[in-house]
Amino acid sequence: MTTAPRTRLSPAERREQLLDLGVRLLAHRSLDELSIDLLAEEAGISRGLLYHYFGSKQAFHEAVVRHAADDLIAQTTPPTDGEPLERLRTSVTAYVDYVVANHEGYVSLVKAAAGGNESLRAIYEDARSALNGRLFHGDDAGEIVPDTPAARLLVQGWSAMTEELVLSWIDDSRGVTREELLGLVVASLPAVVGVLGTGR
Amino acid sequence: MTTAPRTRLSPAERREQLLDLGVRLLAHRSLDELSIDLLAEEAGISRGLLYHYFGSKQAFHEAVVRHAADDLIAQTTPPTDGEPLERLRTSVTAYVDYVVANHEGYVSLVKAAAGGNESLRAIYEDARSALNGRLFHGDDAGEIVPDTPAARLLVQGWSAMTEELVLSWIDDSRGVTREELLGLVVASLPAVVGVLGTGR
DNA sequence: CACTCTATTGACGCTCGTTCAATAGCGCCA
DNA sequence: TGGCGCTATTGAACGAGCGTCAATAGAGTG
């Protein structure tokens, strides 16, 4: 097979191509398990071009994670009307369906945030607070969750639980249906927040 | 300053020294941010010796994580008697106090598990299931949590929430006291499990 | 059909993980 | 007490892979 001819794309197109490829490749390998050589070959470009667009391997990783996070936020826009509990259910459903549909990309995002440096973590935290924040910032904010330090802590914990439940369920649903999962996640927020009264 | 004289330790001592140092160094840096050069210099040994003991950088990382996990398990032995809820509270207290006292080591463990490869994740999963499993394997197992697929899923989620709560609280307690935190964590398990009846 | 702009290349330097034959501390036995 | 052997330890050498930079070649424009 002869060497492929050099193809010239617009910066936006090339950037998009490289980010999409990065999300796919980083879902199963960690960053240092992914060599620039492999990435370049897979994309049909030279090593140098990656540095022209992203400057460093780390910066490329950050761009990939931000790309995945933006996608998550965009594809799970919350409803603006309806009762609070119903809005919660709709949002959770969108989140679960997104994670199911984009499993690889989402795992890539979570792994990067948990294992990576401060800036990667920051990108993830921003996405997460965007997901949570818009749930509790309507006109009827406070109907489900009061705004106290302990309550904020609990909401953060509930988010972590939700993520664990969904990823674990995808990994092995063990006879639990999607509807049951949604019911568990939605019901557990009020249940957890209800703890606020009992703690001493 | 002259080069330090070569010190000869027993394999057990040297191994212990390197593992302890590894836990400390990997708490703030990720694995690829930690060079063998730095590690060797910090330990006062040559690069080659590390390979003599662990074979590779990856294998060293695994040994460090296993070391931290074993320490966690050993230092949080659960009570064998008392009422279920009281045992739960005692176990959670031991866990929280351990994480507070060994913050760096614990963060090192969690980051490795979340961001690392399959074997690192397996080590962490084993430790976690050991922590949970011994809570619900007494003679009175089932008094708090029934043994169904959905319940197992929820317990796993509760574990993730607990970890998030404790780490987040250590990072910024925001006026929440240790006692309040313990109350929240302990009370949230029955609260979450109570959801099982309501879900449809 | 030149000509310019810039997307793209490929070879080079350098850091860092890994290997391996050589070295030296420490207990043992005469 | 003094040599001897075992093995903990070393450090130079190798290779893989990240990052740089001047040179090259598509694609639109006059």
Side-chain angles (χ1 to χ4, degrees):
Chain A
M1 113 174 87
T2 63
T3 61
R6 140 191 324 200
T7 56
R8 184 189 175 110
L9 300 184
S10 75
E13 286 174 319
R14 179 102 309 158
R15 219 185 133 82
E16 189 78 8
Q17 176 212 356
L18 293 176
L19 288 178
D20 285 341
L21 180 62
V23 168
R24 220 173 326 130
L25 291 180
L26 284 170
H28 294 306
R29 313 157 184 275
S30 72
L31 184 66
D32 57 337
E33 286 168 346
L34 172 63
S35 71
I36 303 282
D37 279 311
L38 176 63
L39 179 60
E41 187 180 0
E42 205 78 15
I45 62 171
S46 68
R47 283 197 299 285
L49 193 58
L50 197 84
Y51 288 90
H52 175 72
Y53 277 102
F54 299 99
S56 77
K57 201 184 184 187
Q58 272 297 328
F60 172 68
H61 195 195
E62 291 178 21
V64 166
V65 169
R66 194 171 283 116
H67 187 66
D70 288 346
D71 191 45
L72 166 64
I73 298 294
Q75 291 203 34
T76 58
T77 45
T80 57
D81 54 352
E83 300 200 10
L85 266 180
E86 199 48 44
R87 294 217 318 269
L88 172 61
R89 184 179 189 90
T90 308
S91 290
V92 167
T93 302
Y95 169 76
V96 169
D97 289 344
Y98 177 85
V99 175
V100 169
N102 300 56
H103 188 207
E104 292 194 350
Y106 189 75
V107 169
S108 170
L109 171 64
V110 171
K111 286 182 69 168
N117 58 30
E118 206 46 52
S119 53
L120 287 176
R121 183 173 231 88
I123 295 170
Y124 174 76
E125 295 294 344
D126 284 352
R128 186 136 144 189
S129 70
L131 286 181
N132 292 336
R134 61 193 191 185
L135 265 184
F136 309 113
H137 280 347
D139 290 337
D140 44 11
E143 283 192 28
I144 302 184
V145 181
D147 191 1
T148 66
R152 286 185 173 278
L153 205 58
L154 280 180
V155 169
Q156 211 166 334
W158 173 79
S159 293
M161 182 172 76
T162 297
E163 184 173 287
E164 174 72 26
L165 286 178
V166 174
L167 287 179
S168 178
W169 178 77
I170 289 177
D171 197 52
D172 176 12
S173 66
R174 262 179 273 189
V176 177
T177 68
R178 172 176 167 279
E179 285 304 316
E180 285 171 336
L181 175 70
L182 289 174
L184 292 178
V185 171
V186 169
S188 60
L189 179 59
V192 165
V193 171
V195 162
L196 281 171
T198 71
R200 64 138 189 139
Chain B
M1 123 172 81
T2 63
T3 61
R6 149 193 311 202
T7 57
R8 185 188 174 109
L9 300 183
S10 76
E13 285 175 318
R14 178 101 309 158
R15 219 185 132 81
E16 189 79 10
Q17 175 213 357
L18 293 176
L19 289 178
D20 285 341
L21 180 61
V23 169
R24 220 174 325 132
L25 290 180
L26 284 169
H28 293 305
R29 314 157 184 276
S30 74
L31 184 66
D32 58 337
E33 287 168 345
L34 172 63
S35 70
I36 303 283
D37 278 311
L38 176 63
L39 179 60
E41 186 181 1
E42 206 78 16
I45 62 171
S46 68
R47 284 198 297 283
L49 193 58
L50 197 85
Y51 287 90
H52 175 71
Y53 278 101
F54 298 99
S56 76
K57 200 184 184 186
Q58 272 297 328
F60 172 69
H61 195 195
E62 290 179 22
V64 166
V65 169
R66 195 171 282 115
H67 187 67
D70 288 345
D71 191 46
L72 167 64
I73 298 295
Q75 290 203 32
T76 58
T77 45
T80 58
D81 54 353
E83 301 198 8
L85 267 180
E86 198 51 43
R87 294 216 318 270
L88 172 62
R89 184 178 190 91
T90 307
S91 289
V92 168
T93 302
Y95 169 75
V96 170
D97 288 344
Y98 177 86
V99 175
V100 170
N102 300 56
H103 187 207
E104 291 193 350
Y106 189 75
V107 169
S108 171
L109 171 64
V110 171
K111 284 182 68 169
N117 58 30
E118 205 46 53
S119 54
L120 286 176
R121 181 172 232 89
I123 296 169
Y124 175 77
E125 295 293 344
D126 284 351
R128 186 137 143 188
S129 70
L131 286 181
N132 292 337
R134 62 193 191 185
L135 266 185
F136 309 112
H137 281 345
D139 291 337
D140 45 11
E143 283 192 28
I144 302 186
V145 181
D147 193 1
T148 67
R152 287 186 173 279
L153 205 58
L154 280 179
V155 169
Q156 211 166 334
W158 174 80
S159 294
M161 181 172 75
T162 298
E163 184 172 286
E164 173 71 25
L165 286 178
V166 174
L167 288 179
S168 177
W169 177 77
I170 290 177
D171 198 52
D172 176 11
S173 65
R174 264 180 272 187
V176 177
T177 68
R178 171 175 167 278
E179 286 305 315
E180 286 171 336
L181 175 71
L182 289 173
L184 293 178
V185 171
V186 170
S188 61
L189 179 58
V192 165
V193 171
V195 162
L196 281 171
T198 71
R200 64 141 192 139

mmCIF file of all heavy atoms in Angstrom, chain A residues 7 24 37-38 40 44 48-49 71-72 91 110-111 121 134 143 149 180 189 196 198:
data_model
loop_
_atom_site.group_PDB
_atom_site.id
_atom_site.type_symbol
_atom_site.label_atom_id
_atom_site.label_comp_id
_atom_site.label_asym_id
_atom_site.label_seq_id
_atom_site.Cartn_x
_atom_site.Cartn_y
_atom_site.Cartn_z
ATOM 1 N N THR A 7 -4.082 15.281 2.738
ATOM 2 C CA THR A 7 -5.389 15.933 2.564
ATOM 3 C C THR A 7 -5.434 17.186 3.414
ATOM 4 O O THR A 7 -5.032 17.177 4.574
ATOM 5 C CB THR A 7 -6.530 15.002 2.985
ATOM 6 O OG1 THR A 7 -6.305 14.586 4.330
ATOM 7 C CG2 THR A 7 -6.606 13.776 2.094
ATOM 8 N N ARG A 24 -12.866 8.682 21.130
ATOM 9 C CA ARG A 24 -13.003 7.253 20.887
ATOM 10 C C ARG A 24 -11.788 6.469 21.392
ATOM 11 O O ARG A 24 -11.918 5.440 22.046
ATOM 12 C CB ARG A 24 -13.208 7.007 19.381
ATOM 13 C CG ARG A 24 -14.237 5.917 19.094
ATOM 14 C CD ARG A 24 -14.551 5.805 17.615
ATOM 15 N NE ARG A 24 -14.517 7.085 16.911
ATOM 16 C CZ ARG A 24 -13.851 7.283 15.780
ATOM 17 N NH1 ARG A 24 -13.173 6.288 15.233
ATOM 18 N NH2 ARG A 24 -13.870 8.466 15.201
ATOM 19 N N ASP A 37 2.007 8.600 17.967
ATOM 20 C CA ASP A 37 2.180 7.841 16.728
ATOM 21 C C ASP A 37 0.889 7.148 16.313
ATOM 22 O O ASP A 37 0.431 7.254 15.182
ATOM 23 C CB ASP A 37 3.284 6.791 16.912
ATOM 24 C CG ASP A 37 4.662 7.404 16.756
ATOM 25 O OD1 ASP A 37 4.868 8.109 15.764
ATOM 26 O OD2 ASP A 37 5.512 7.182 17.621
ATOM 27 N N LEU A 38 0.291 6.436 17.276
ATOM 28 C CA LEU A 38 -0.950 5.722 16.964
ATOM 29 C C LEU A 38 -2.055 6.696 16.580
ATOM 30 O O LEU A 38 -2.768 6.503 15.587
ATOM 31 C CB LEU A 38 -1.401 4.898 18.174
ATOM 32 C CG LEU A 38 -2.749 4.191 17.997
ATOM 33 C CD1 LEU A 38 -2.681 3.182 16.870
ATOM 34 C CD2 LEU A 38 -3.207 3.538 19.289
ATOM 35 N N ALA A 40 -1.824 9.693 15.383
ATOM 36 C CA ALA A 40 -1.563 10.306 14.078
ATOM 37 C C ALA A 40 -1.875 9.332 12.944
ATOM 38 O O ALA A 40 -2.503 9.692 11.943
ATOM 39 C CB ALA A 40 -0.115 10.768 14.008
ATOM 40 N N GLY A 44 -4.626 9.630 10.068
ATOM 41 C CA GLY A 44 -4.080 9.842 8.740
ATOM 42 C C GLY A 44 -3.306 11.144 8.604
ATOM 43 O O GLY A 44 -3.259 11.741 7.531
ATOM 44 N N GLY A 48 3.406 15.985 13.811
ATOM 45 C CA GLY A 48 3.552 17.433 13.952
ATOM 46 C C GLY A 48 2.238 18.184 13.936
ATOM 47 O O GLY A 48 2.080 19.196 14.627
ATOM 48 N N LEU A 49 1.288 17.683 13.142
ATOM 49 C CA LEU A 49 0.036 18.431 12.997
ATOM 50 C C LEU A 49 -0.732 18.496 14.309
ATOM 51 O O LEU A 49 -1.399 19.491 14.607
ATOM 52 C CB LEU A 49 -0.835 17.792 11.913
ATOM 53 C CG LEU A 49 -2.001 18.661 11.461
ATOM 54 C CD1 LEU A 49 -1.508 19.987 10.937
ATOM 55 C CD2 LEU A 49 -2.827 17.959 10.399
ATOM 56 N N ASP A 71 -20.582 18.154 24.945
ATOM 57 C CA ASP A 71 -21.564 17.298 24.281
ATOM 58 C C ASP A 71 -22.616 16.815 25.278
ATOM 59 O O ASP A 71 -23.816 16.842 24.997
ATOM 60 C CB ASP A 71 -20.841 16.107 23.647
ATOM 61 C CG ASP A 71 -21.747 15.329 22.720
ATOM 62 O OD1 ASP A 71 -22.461 15.973 21.924
ATOM 63 O OD2 ASP A 71 -21.762 14.091 22.804
ATOM 64 N N LEU A 72 -22.137 16.398 26.437
ATOM 65 C CA LEU A 72 -23.061 15.939 27.487
ATOM 66 C C LEU A 72 -24.048 17.041 27.873
ATOM 67 O O LEU A 72 -25.267 16.823 27.907
ATOM 68 C CB LEU A 72 -22.260 15.498 28.716
ATOM 69 C CG LEU A 72 -23.044 15.297 30.015
ATOM 70 C CD1 LEU A 72 -24.038 14.164 29.855
ATOM 71 C CD2 LEU A 72 -22.115 15.040 31.186
ATOM 72 N N SER A 91 -34.933 15.095 33.599
ATOM 73 C CA SER A 91 -33.491 15.345 33.509
ATOM 74 C C SER A 91 -32.697 14.059 33.727
ATOM 75 O O SER A 91 -31.760 13.766 32.979
ATOM 76 C CB SER A 91 -33.072 16.384 34.555
ATOM 77 O OG SER A 91 -33.578 17.657 34.205
ATOM 78 N N VAL A 110 -15.159 10.567 32.637
ATOM 79 C CA VAL A 110 -15.086 10.295 34.075
ATOM 80 C C VAL A 110 -13.689 9.849 34.486
ATOM 81 O O VAL A 110 -13.136 10.312 35.490
ATOM 82 C CB VAL A 110 -16.121 9.220 34.468
ATOM 83 C CG1 VAL A 110 -15.909 8.780 35.914
ATOM 84 C CG2 VAL A 110 -17.524 9.752 34.277
ATOM 85 N N LYS A 111 -13.096 8.952 33.697
ATOM 86 C CA LYS A 111 -11.761 8.476 34.032
ATOM 87 C C LYS A 111 -10.743 9.608 34.014
ATOM 88 O O LYS A 111 -9.866 9.684 34.870
ATOM 89 C CB LYS A 111 -11.333 7.375 33.060
ATOM 90 C CG LYS A 111 -12.017 6.054 33.302
ATOM 91 C CD LYS A 111 -11.540 4.983 32.355
ATOM 92 C CE LYS A 111 -10.105 4.579 32.616
ATOM 93 N NZ LYS A 111 -9.730 3.351 31.882
ATOM 94 N N ARG A 121 -9.868 17.862 36.178
ATOM 95 C CA ARG A 121 -10.882 17.769 37.216
ATOM 96 C C ARG A 121 -11.823 18.975 37.153
ATOM 97 O O ARG A 121 -13.042 18.846 37.327
ATOM 98 C CB ARG A 121 -10.198 17.698 38.583
ATOM 99 C CG ARG A 121 -11.167 17.522 39.733
ATOM 100 C CD ARG A 121 -10.438 17.275 41.065
ATOM 101 N NE ARG A 121 -10.951 16.117 41.748
ATOM 102 C CZ ARG A 121 -10.511 14.890 41.551
ATOM 103 N NH1 ARG A 121 -9.547 14.673 40.684
ATOM 104 N NH2 ARG A 121 -11.033 13.874 42.200
ATOM 105 N N ARG A 134 -28.665 23.573 37.223
ATOM 106 C CA ARG A 134 -29.863 23.955 36.487
ATOM 107 C C ARG A 134 -31.100 23.196 36.983
ATOM 108 O O ARG A 134 -32.210 23.562 36.665
ATOM 109 C CB ARG A 134 -29.647 23.714 34.996
ATOM 110 C CG ARG A 134 -29.380 22.296 34.611
ATOM 111 C CD ARG A 134 -28.866 22.239 33.177
ATOM 112 N NE ARG A 134 -28.837 20.876 32.674
ATOM 113 C CZ ARG A 134 -28.343 20.530 31.487
ATOM 114 N NH1 ARG A 134 -27.846 21.463 30.691
ATOM 115 N NH2 ARG A 134 -28.358 19.285 31.096
ATOM 116 N N GLU A 143 -37.890 23.892 46.536
ATOM 117 C CA GLU A 143 -39.037 23.014 46.780
ATOM 118 C C GLU A 143 -38.570 21.592 47.067
ATOM 119 O O GLU A 143 -39.189 20.870 47.836
ATOM 120 C CB GLU A 143 -39.977 23.012 45.572
ATOM 121 C CG GLU A 143 -40.832 24.266 45.510
ATOM 122 C CD GLU A 143 -41.948 24.105 44.490
ATOM 123 O OE1 GLU A 143 -42.377 22.979 44.255
ATOM 124 O OE2 GLU A 143 -42.367 25.138 43.925
ATOM 125 N N PRO A 149 -25.459 24.391 53.788
ATOM 126 C CA PRO A 149 -24.197 23.663 53.534
ATOM 127 C C PRO A 149 -24.388 22.162 53.516
ATOM 128 O O PRO A 149 -23.898 21.476 52.603
ATOM 129 C CB PRO A 149 -23.329 24.090 54.719
ATOM 130 C CG PRO A 149 -23.822 25.438 55.076
ATOM 131 C CD PRO A 149 -25.309 25.399 54.837
ATOM 132 N N GLU A 180 -36.901 0.744 36.432
ATOM 133 C CA GLU A 180 -36.594 0.585 37.854
ATOM 134 C C GLU A 180 -35.412 1.467 38.251
ATOM 135 O O GLU A 180 -35.425 2.122 39.293
ATOM 136 C CB GLU A 180 -36.279 -0.879 38.166
ATOM 137 C CG GLU A 180 -37.504 -1.773 38.207
ATOM 138 C CD GLU A 180 -37.140 -3.251 38.306
ATOM 139 O OE1 GLU A 180 -36.020 -3.613 37.890
ATOM 140 O OE2 GLU A 180 -37.974 -4.022 38.784
ATOM 141 N N LEU A 189 -33.161 11.017 45.665
ATOM 142 C CA LEU A 189 -32.811 12.404 46.012
ATOM 143 C C LEU A 189 -33.666 12.919 47.165
ATOM 144 O O LEU A 189 -33.104 13.363 48.180
ATOM 145 C CB LEU A 189 -32.917 13.322 44.791
ATOM 146 C CG LEU A 189 -32.581 14.785 45.090
ATOM 147 C CD1 LEU A 189 -31.163 14.912 45.638
ATOM 148 C CD2 LEU A 189 -32.738 15.665 43.860
ATOM 149 N N LEU A 196 -31.782 15.165 56.322
ATOM 150 C CA LEU A 196 -31.349 16.410 56.958
ATOM 151 C C LEU A 196 -32.045 16.648 58.288
ATOM 152 O O LEU A 196 -31.439 17.162 59.234
ATOM 153 C CB LEU A 196 -31.625 17.603 56.017
ATOM 154 C CG LEU A 196 -30.600 17.762 54.899
ATOM 155 C CD1 LEU A 196 -31.060 18.818 53.909
ATOM 156 C CD2 LEU A 196 -29.258 18.137 55.487
ATOM 157 N N THR A 198 -33.247 14.326 60.366
ATOM 158 C CA THR A 198 -32.968 13.308 61.380
ATOM 159 C C THR A 198 -31.572 13.402 61.957
ATOM 160 O O THR A 198 -31.351 13.053 63.104
ATOM 161 C CB THR A 198 -33.143 11.901 60.799
ATOM 162 O OG1 THR A 198 -32.071 11.654 59.883
ATOM 163 C CG2 THR A 198 -34.463 11.803 60.042
#
